[in-house]
């Protein structure tokens, strides 16, 4: 991978881990990165979860918007599976 893409992937994963530790109080965070025709990133935590719909309409910080900006550079998309009290799984597909 080119250096800019590698740095982008690192920053995305770094932000997701930081969110899990700082906001979700997670005690376990699992990270998967796979490369096929696309790059697939999956980060799962066992934290307290959050209201994803509310976060999209009125974000409380810059973390997820920063991730979305990085994803858009590579025509990617992100899905978030979470609810208060249930942990969070973030899946990202990048199309470099």
């Amino acid at each position: 991978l080119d250096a800019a893409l590698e740095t982008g992937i690192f920053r995305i994963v770094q932000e997701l881990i930081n969110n899990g530790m700082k906001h979700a109080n997670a005690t376990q965070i699992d990270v998967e990165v796979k490369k096929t025709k696309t790059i697939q990133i999956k980060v799962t935590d066992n934290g307290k979860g959050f209201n994803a719909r509310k976060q999209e309409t009125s974000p409380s910080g810059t973390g997820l918007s920063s991730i979305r900006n990085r994803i858009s550079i590579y025509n990617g998309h992100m899905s978030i599976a979470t609810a208060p009290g249930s942990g969070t799984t973030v899946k990202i597909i990048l199309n470099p």
Side-chain angles (χ1 to χ4, degrees):
L1 303 176
D2 79 11
L5 176 56
E6 287 181 355
T7 300
I9 293 167
F10 174 80
R11 296 289 181 219
I12 288 168
V13 171
Q14 181 181 43
E15 184 63 39
L16 291 171
I17 291 171
N18 184 55
N19 287 350
M21 292 172 20
K22 182 178 178 182
H23 301 294
N25 299 320
T27 59
Q28 181 173 341
I29 300 173
D30 297 318
V31 177
E32 295 178 37
V33 179
K34 296 179 184 177
K35 181 183 179 292
T36 57
K37 291 180 182 178
T38 62
I39 296 170
Q40 301 137 39
I41 302 166
K42 179 179 172 185
V43 178
T44 303
D45 71 49
N46 67 347
K48 64 183 179 181
F50 63 98
N51 183 329
R53 187 176 311 218
K54 181 180 175 187
Q55 183 65 29
E56 284 185 24
T57 58
S58 58
S60 59
T62 60
L64 287 177
S65 62
S66 171
I67 292 170
R68 284 188 182 94
N69 289 338
R70 290 183 194 280
I71 292 169
S72 70
I73 294 169
Y74 298 104
N75 299 316
H77 63 275
M78 172 172 64
S79 65
I80 301 173
T82 187
S86 71
T88 301
T89 297
V90 178
K91 294 180 183 178
I92 298 170
I93 305 290
L94 302 177
N95 300 292

